[in-house]
Amino acid sequence: MNLDNNLQNNLAKMKELLNSDDVIFFNLKVLSSDAVCIFYDHLEDKALLGKQVLEPISLMENKKSCKEILASITLPEGEILSSIEGCVEKITFGDTILLIDGFDEAISVACKKHATRTVAEPPTSTILKGPREGFVESIQTNLSLLRQRLKSPDLIYKKFTVGKYSSTVVGVLYINSIADKKIVELVIEKIKNINVEGVSDSSYIAKCITNKKASLFKQVNSTEKPDILASKLLEGRVGIIVDGSPIVLTVPYLLLEDFQSSEDYYSNTYRANVSRFLRFIAVIVAILAPAFYVSAQLFHLQLIPLNFLLTIVNSIKGIPLSPSAEMFFTLLIFEILNEASIRMPRYVGIAMSVVGALVLGDTAVNAGIISTPTILIIALSGISLYTVPDLMESLSVLRILFLIVAGTFGGYGILLFSAGLVIYLSSLESFGVSVTAPFSPFILNDLQDGFIMTFFDDMKKRPLTLKSKNSVRRRFYNVQTKQ
Amino acid sequence: MYKLNSRQLCFIIITTASVSKLFFLPGLIAGIAEEGLVLSAIINYIIDFIFLAIILKVYKNEENFSFYDMLETTYGKLVSKAIITLYALFFVFKVFIPMIEEKNSIELTFYETQPNVLTYIPVFAITFYVSLKGVKSFAKSMEIVVLLFFAGIFIIYLLSFNVGDYDNLLPFFSQNPKSIFEASFKTLLWFGDPIYILFFLNEVKKDKNMSVKVIWSYVFSALIIIATLIIFYAIFGSIAKRQFYAPIKMSKYSITLSNIGRFDYVGTLLLSFASIFLIAMPLMFSSSLLKRVYNFKKGYTAPLIINGLALSLTLIFENGFFEILKWFQNYGVYILIVFTYLIPLTTFTFYRRKNNATQKN
């Protein structure tokens, strides 16, 4: 529907489409003609509107065209619109529309007001050394945080709108001279094809752009920190930033990424390697310790060293539950405590810890319902799980599956399930890249930042797994000056 | 279509060609050849190396190597379809020994007390999954499995190499040549790996140095087995013939175990893990051959038929393992010779003749 010269006609059509009490129709005179400013009450910075838009217009003397009026406005984002739908869309995005009688066009200016929290350290990725800034819910703030770190015109931001009702702004970020064009195009195509009613968080986008929807493992990585996003973009990955979400997505995803922490690169390389090794061991302990304990008790008691076996036998004497039922029961308590501790108000947390650790744990052991080795194993497994927090969701499910298999088929079941897992993971891809790289497919260069991390100086090439346009990070290193 | 790279093929060769000979073969070969067990193994390796060299020569000469096309060109569509179907059955037959070996080694390691059905069904569930996923996933998985295999064999060697008395192997050439050749013949079933390489070459990206890489991988795998045989006989000497499932027996006498516990189980476990992929490989080939011939609409039909057949045969015959093993050694070996060596060699010869005749015309 096109706008016409009559203000009242245009206004009637607009009111029909914007039938909401928080839409402001502000009547005023512009160049001695009737005019109306239309905007959503809470989205607009009214002081900015008055100062930068209405004041310059009021100073104009002769009747001019919309183009000339727009030129007099001292705001950078402005546009001339000729359709009713275009005007409505702009208003829903937080812009102000100025309709003037006698003009068949409208002027749109962006003087939005963003309610956003301040930049703070994200609770999901706290570190001892390194930048503490975290993303917030405003896409503008997040982009500014990234641009502060990557001051290059090569950093490209492509904007899209997703969601029938939410019209959420989704941006694709990449470094033009590094990122693989095919991956960028694939990401853009997938985002364009998303058909949802609303996008509450970036995780909706992650679910929409993955190939294997029912996969236990994620195929899109995420970060809450601009320094991590900048590093990932420099490696050749593509970022997906969503308005209203502090979590920025990155693709392609490699399983190895979850074992890498930003702190590894900021601290001593030797310590970083120890930490990585510990994370790897912790993951194995987290998913396999309960399963091995149950299978050993049920099927292979002979495998346990004698002294350890005697300790276990003393502890499990009189326990009414079977080993697998006991382990499941303890795991259930742990998962309930875990779930409750995440959702409960913070001030109840201390009471919860007392109830969980002392009342449930200690009393259950004293009452002879569960044994101390079981509690020890679940506690060890539970703590180990959080050494790789980004994999926690998948690993906690795997732990349960391994436990079921161990209780049913014993140690050989664990072996077979592991084989199935290896095949499953080897066939899993994220945007054309195998998630198990650089181990499968084996890429020697990328092992420099694998389970063992080489020195920063030696990482001269970007990960070859990501097929970046320019694989060389730097051709030479700064010449060292004699001290 | 996904094509394997030469590195993936090498990893597959190293792992599967080694793990297939680790469990039952050392005891069996020692039982007949005694001190000459290494010579018996070398004879079989020589046969395999000659055959492998022929395969690689043909591969090098053909721009687009495809054994299926060769069969079709040589024998016509109908006969080639029949041969491919027979190969699908042959690969099911090849699974029986590694499957029973795996089952028994697990019983020995874990003291598994479960009914056999409960052991076999999950194994075939995994092999079905591998067959379903196809060669791409298998090749990628093997890049991880090879690391675990190396870790396993390293643990076994570490715990066993200093336990044996290497004088047991002497005098090296004292054995009657007849028993050495008999041992070679009766253990031929565990060899013949080039047939897998032949089928993998259909799925590999053409590589200039492919032949060298494949040969070295097979040499490496042969060295692993020869080293295992030497350590095995050094430990057990004349009682070696009673020691089946070598890795489990070899490592348990290490003094280290009394201090740190049965660490050897980790090694055995890793080898058993690699063995699952050894069982899956022929079934994967078998399924893909069946799919190729009968063009099933659903992707899971061929894997279901093949794995179902393999499971049924294993369940039917597993109680008479030693009787069947004897049959395999006496008669089954001829089936192996036909499918592993004769059919490919005659196909190569006739194909070449036909090609030459076509070029002359």
Side-chain angles (χ1 to χ4, degrees):
Chain A
M1 247 188 298
N2 282 336
L3 291 161
D4 62 38
N5 287 330
N6 190 312
L7 176 67
Q8 292 311 316
N9 285 350
N10 291 337
L11 211 53
K13 287 171 194 167
M14 295 284 273
K15 279 185 176 170
E16 204 178 305
L17 291 170
L18 294 165
N19 184 20
S20 178
D21 290 344
D22 58 347
V23 183
I24 305 289
F25 293 88
F26 172 53
N27 297 307
L28 66 155
K29 287 265 182 204
V30 173
L31 303 165
S32 55
S33 300
D34 287 336
V36 181
C37 258
I38 313 166
F39 52 86
Y40 273 110
D41 191 11
H42 41 268
L43 288 180
E44 223 52 40
D45 187 340
K46 292 184 192 87
L48 194 72
L49 179 70
K51 188 86 183 155
Q52 311 283 70
V53 180
L54 301 181
E55 198 181 305
I57 293 174
S58 67
L59 295 173
M60 292 173 79
E61 286 172 359
N62 303 322
K63 190 162 184 175
K64 293 177 177 172
S65 69
C66 274
K67 212 172 177 182
E68 284 168 310
I69 296 169
L70 181 64
S72 68
I73 294 169
T74 51
L75 277 175
E77 289 175 73
E79 215 178 309
I80 306 286
L81 303 166
S82 55
S83 71
I84 297 281
E85 291 81 4
C87 293
V88 171
E89 193 189 327
K90 284 282 174 189
I91 293 166
T92 54
F93 271 84
D95 287 5
T96 299
I97 294 291
L98 181 64
L99 290 171
I100 307 167
D101 195 27
F103 288 92
D104 60 355
E105 287 176 323
I107 299 164
S108 142
V109 277
C111 31
K112 295 176 193 114
K113 180 175 69 181
H114 294 285
T116 179
R117 67 183 166 94
T118 50
V119 173
E121 188 172 22
T124 53
S125 37
T126 50
I127 54 164
L128 283 174
K129 269 184 184 178
R132 294 182 198 284
E133 279 175 340
F135 287 126
V136 291
E137 283 73 11
S138 157
I139 195 167
Q140 307 295 340
T141 314
N142 293 347
L143 282 170
S144 75
L145 288 171
L146 182 68
R147 288 262 180 216
Q148 279 167 29
R149 279 181 167 74
L150 296 171
K151 300 176 189 79
S152 163
D154 244 9
L155 173 63
I156 307 292
Y157 167 67
K158 297 264 184 209
K159 193 171 135 186
F160 303 93
T161 309
V162 177
K164 189 182 166 188
Y165 295 110
S166 68
S167 296
T168 311
V169 176
V170 176
V172 174
L173 291 158
Y174 59 95
I175 297 175
N176 202 23
S177 53
I178 299 175
D180 180 19
K181 206 178 161 192
K182 277 183 195 165
I183 296 176
V184 174
E185 281 170 2
L186 189 62
V187 172
I188 290 174
E189 191 195 322
K190 287 196 174 221
I191 288 177
K192 278 181 180 169
N193 287 336
I194 294 174
N195 181 15
V196 287
E197 291 192 322
V199 179
S200 303
D201 182 57
S202 57
S203 55
Y204 279 46
I205 302 290
K207 279 171 190 157
C208 291
I209 61 173
T210 47
N211 274 346
K212 284 192 175 176
K213 309 280 180 203
S215 174
L216 176 61
F217 291 86
K218 60 183 180 182
Q219 291 141 72
V220 175
N221 205 6
S222 59
T223 179
E224 276 198 82
K225 296 188 74 183
D227 57 315
I228 297 177
L229 179 64
S231 317
K232 289 197 188 289
L233 294 180
L234 284 170
E235 283 185 338
R237 287 192 174 82
V238 177
I240 302 164
I241 191 162
V242 179
D243 197 18
S245 173
I247 294 164
V248 178
L249 309 173
T250 56
V251 289
Y253 161 72
L254 303 180
L255 201 61
L256 180 69
E257 281 180 74
D258 288 335
F259 290 88
Q260 298 166 333
S261 154
S262 62
E263 210 168 350
D264 292 350
Y265 305 92
Y266 306 141
S267 61
N268 180 298
T269 309
Y270 294 107
R271 176 62 219 174
N273 277 315
V274 171
S275 302
R276 278 197 190 178
F277 179 72
L278 286 175
R279 275 175 226 140
F280 179 64
I281 296 291
V283 164
I284 293 175
V285 169
I287 55 174
L288 291 180
F292 267 123
Y293 179 71
V294 166
S295 77
Q297 260 202 72
L298 279 174
F299 301 98
H300 331 288
L301 268 177
Q302 299 91 325
L303 295 187
I304 305 171
L306 186 66
N307 289 337
F308 187 36
L309 183 66
L310 290 174
T311 316
I312 292 173
V313 169
N314 283 331
S315 312
I316 61 174
K317 213 163 30 182
I319 302 290
L321 300 169
S322 72
S324 32
E326 184 195 3
M327 193 59 84
F328 264 115
F329 178 63
T330 320
L331 191 62
L332 184 75
I333 293 172
F334 175 78
E335 291 287 352
I336 291 170
L337 283 172
N338 187 23
E339 197 60 27
S341 62
I342 294 166
R343 294 183 209 298
M344 67 169 52
R346 252 177 223 171
Y347 47 84
V348 196
I350 299 165
M352 186 70 192
S353 305
V354 174
V355 171
L358 293 178
V359 180
L360 280 175
D362 202 38
T363 317
V365 172
N366 289 336
I369 299 168
I370 46 179
S371 63
T372 36
T374 306
I375 294 225
L376 181 77
I377 281 166
I378 287 293
L380 187 66
S381 164
I383 293 164
S384 301
L385 210 61
Y386 285 94
T387 54
V388 188
D390 290 334
L391 263 180
M392 201 275 289
E393 292 164 11
S394 314
L395 295 183
S396 59
V397 178
L398 267 184
R399 178 170 58 183
I400 296 169
L401 294 177
F402 266 109
L403 199 53
I404 294 169
V405 167
T408 319
F409 298 107
Y412 194 48
I414 297 174
L415 208 67
L416 286 169
F417 192 73
S418 309
L421 194 64
V422 167
I423 301 157
Y424 177 75
L425 281 172
S426 301
S427 63
L428 196 64
E429 287 187 349
S430 163
F431 288 82
V433 174
S434 195
V435 298
T436 45
F439 304 102
S440 158
F442 182 81
I443 299 165
L444 189 65
N445 171 72
D446 296 5
L447 288 181
Q448 63 187 355
D449 195 12
F451 284 127
I452 295 172
M453 184 184 158
T454 54
F455 293 100
F456 181 70
D457 296 14
D458 298 332
M459 292 190 207
K460 289 193 173 72
K461 280 188 174 177
R462 278 177 242 287
L464 298 180
T465 316
L466 303 173
K467 299 163 194 158
S468 48
K469 276 185 204 164
N470 169 16
S471 64
V472 181
R473 270 192 175 123
R474 54 182 182 278
R475 292 193 193 284
F476 57 87
Y477 195 64
N478 294 344
V479 179
Q480 287 181 349
T481 49
K482 278 189 180 176
Q483 294 194 355
Chain B
M1 195 189 142
Y2 181 83
K3 288 268 181 190
L4 270 68
N5 57 44
S6 53
R7 187 193 57 241
Q8 287 172 329
L9 179 61
C10 293
F11 286 165
I12 291 170
I13 294 169
I14 291 170
T15 313
T16 55
S18 309
V19 86
S20 62
K21 300 170 188 70
L22 277 176
F23 291 96
F24 211 76
L25 177 81
L28 208 66
I29 205 166
I32 309 167
E34 295 180 349
E35 290 91 351
L37 80 169
V38 175
L39 290 176
S40 287
I42 287 173
I43 290 169
N44 283 343
Y45 271 121
I46 289 170
I47 296 168
D48 276 356
F49 271 113
I50 294 169
F51 181 52
L52 184 60
I54 295 169
I55 292 174
L56 292 169
K57 178 80 181 155
V58 175
Y59 171 79
K60 211 174 174 181
N61 291 342
E62 288 293 310
E63 202 167 314
N64 297 310
F65 180 86
S66 167
F67 185 58
Y68 311 116
D69 290 346
M70 281 183 174
L71 283 171
E72 207 174 300
T73 315
T74 316
Y75 306 111
K77 264 191 179 173
L78 201 72
V79 178
S80 73
K81 274 189 176 183
I83 294 174
I84 291 173
T85 311
L86 288 173
Y87 263 110
L89 293 173
F90 169 69
F91 285 131
V92 175
F93 155 92
K94 282 277 273 180
V95 160
F96 184 75
I97 289 178
M99 182 65 234
I100 302 287
E101 279 184 358
E102 171 85 345
K103 159 86 176 93
N104 290 347
S105 69
I106 285 295
E107 260 178 17
L108 273 172
T109 322
F110 281 139
Y111 306 95
E112 197 80 59
T113 48
Q114 292 205 16
N116 290 342
V117 182
L118 275 183
T119 311
Y120 290 129
I121 289 175
V123 176
F124 284 104
I126 294 293
T127 57
F128 170 74
Y129 186 55
V130 175
S131 308
L132 204 64
K133 287 277 169 189
V135 78
K136 180 185 175 182
S137 295
F138 178 79
K140 281 162 90 179
S141 307
M142 289 309 282
E143 294 190 82
I144 297 169
V145 177
V146 73
L147 299 174
L148 302 175
F149 167 72
F150 280 139
I153 202 82
F154 178 74
I155 292 169
I156 300 292
Y157 281 176
L158 198 72
L159 295 173
S160 59
F161 84 100
N162 56 352
V163 180
D165 175 5
Y166 290 88
D167 286 350
N168 283 341
L169 288 150
L170 300 174
F172 202 63
F173 293 103
S174 69
Q175 270 302 308
N176 181 0
K178 196 188 160 196
S179 58
I180 290 175
F181 280 107
E182 192 193 343
S184 294
F185 183 75
K186 294 216 162 167
T187 54
L188 200 61
L189 275 172
W190 279 263
F191 290 82
D193 307 290
I195 191 67
Y196 293 128
I197 300 171
L198 174 67
F199 278 89
F200 269 119
L201 286 174
N202 295 309
E203 322 275 347
V204 175
K205 262 185 239 161
K206 202 85 179 171
D207 185 336
K208 210 169 68 180
N209 297 321
M210 176 70 82
S211 306
V212 180
K213 289 175 187 172
V214 168
I215 291 278
W216 275 113
S217 308
Y218 204 51
V219 168
F220 190 68
S221 145
L223 290 176
I224 290 175
I225 295 306
I226 288 168
T228 309
L229 291 176
I230 290 171
I231 298 170
F232 175 71
Y233 204 77
I235 295 171
F236 296 107
S238 56
I239 58 159
K241 59 185 165 195
R242 289 187 206 146
Q243 311 299 323
F244 296 114
Y245 310 105
I248 304 157
K249 303 284 175 70
M250 277 162 67
S251 51
K252 69 176 178 187
Y253 301 105
S254 172
I255 191 111
T256 325
L257 300 184
S258 54
N259 299 323
I260 56 168
R262 294 300 303 268
F263 190 66
D264 58 321
Y265 282 133
V266 179
T268 319
L269 218 70
L270 291 173
L271 294 180
S272 297
F273 181 79
S275 198
I276 295 166
F277 290 84
L278 169 74
I279 297 165
M281 184 175 67
L283 294 176
M284 177 191 72
F285 274 132
S286 191
S287 305
S288 77
L289 292 177
L290 211 64
K291 207 154 73 181
R292 195 182 179 88
V293 175
Y294 297 102
N295 237 335
F296 296 110
K297 274 183 188 166
K298 305 271 183 194
Y300 57 78
T301 313
L304 205 64
I305 294 170
I306 292 298
N307 288 281
L309 180 68
L311 172 65
S312 317
L313 290 175
T314 313
L315 287 174
I316 293 166
F317 294 115
E318 60 106 10
N319 283 329
F321 175 55
F322 283 96
E323 287 74 20
I324 287 167
L325 188 69
K326 258 186 192 163
W327 183 88
F328 266 104
Q329 284 180 302
N330 293 327
Y331 309 104
V333 72
Y334 296 109
I335 299 174
L336 177 108
I337 290 168
V338 169
F339 282 94
T340 309
Y341 306 107
L342 283 181
I343 294 179
L345 288 176
T346 46
T347 308
F348 294 156
T349 317
F350 288 131
Y351 177 77
R352 204 178 160 192
R353 273 190 200 170
K354 212 166 192 175
N355 251 5
N356 287 346
T358 320
Q359 275 171 7
K360 271 182 190 172
N361 289 334

